[in-house]
């Protein structure tokens, strides 16, 4: 290989874009002691390090910034963020509001927040799948049993919930499916 090609690879190496066999070959060339390529990598790396500080900041238009931030957020594989001020709280029964945080399309499992206003009651029902709940605020009766802040409850498939209500109001984290058999 001509030394001009090694010099070019030295600049790509400094950028961090060499991969696979090209990367192994260049690392071998550097290990052989080529002073010129080592100098080129050092100088190129130093120049690249100053690049961000040499540019004047440019503020994007607010719509463009919002779209860019949304796109960046959506490209984070495996991460989902739901902010408290985002999303709707549809009323699923009188005085009972649900904010879906995540719905697994394959399994039908839903993770949601459930807010019950004081005095609200959920109809008696049979669970077709497992349901888990954690009381975050307030208290509620589930299956006739009082649950307070921090209390956890799990209902197995084919179990029944009678007397689901709250006197003072509650906020719960639910992991369930939205397919219960209503008994009333």
């Amino acid at each position: 290989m001509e030394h001009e090609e090694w010099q070019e690879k030295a600049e790509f190496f400094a950028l961090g874009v060499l991969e696979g066999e090209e990367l192994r070959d260049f690392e071998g060339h550097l290990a052989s002691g080529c002073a010129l390529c080592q100098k080129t990598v050092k100088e190129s790396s130093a120049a690249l390090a100053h690049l961000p500080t040499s540019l004047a900041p440019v503020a994007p238009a607010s719509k463009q910034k919002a779209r860019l931030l949304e796109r960046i957020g959506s490209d984070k594989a495996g991460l989902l963020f739901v902010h408290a001020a985002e999303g709707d709280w549809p009323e699923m029964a009188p005085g009972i509001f649900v904010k879906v945080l995540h719905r697994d399309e394959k399994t039908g499992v839903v993770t949601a927040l459930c807010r019950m206003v004081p005095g609200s009651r959920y109809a008696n029902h049979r669970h077709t799948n497992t349901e888990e709940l954690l009381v975050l605020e307030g208290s509620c009766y589930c299956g006739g049993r009082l649950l307070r802040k921090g209390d956890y409850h799990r209902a197995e498939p084919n179990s029944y919930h009678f007397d689901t209500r709250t006197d003072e109001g509650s906020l719960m984290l639910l992991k369930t499916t939205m397919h219960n058999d209503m008994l009333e």
Side-chain angles (χ1 to χ4, degrees), residues 107-109 122 125-131 155-161 175-183:
T107 64
V109 173
Y122 191 66
H125 57 280
R126 181 181 70 84
H127 292 278
T128 57
N129 290 297
T130 302
E131 176 182 273
E156 297 298 330
N158 297 313
S159 62
Y160 292 87
H161 266 161
K175 186 173 181 182
T176 187
T177 60
M178 297 304 238
H179 306 291
N180 290 323
D181 291 335
M182 305 315 282
L183 302 177

Side-chain angles (χ1 to χ4, degrees), residues 33-52:
C34 177
L36 187 56
C37 284
Q38 290 173 353
K39 180 181 177 193
T40 301
V41 167
K42 184 177 178 179
E43 289 172 353
S44 296
S45 295
L48 288 169
H50 292 309
L51 189 60

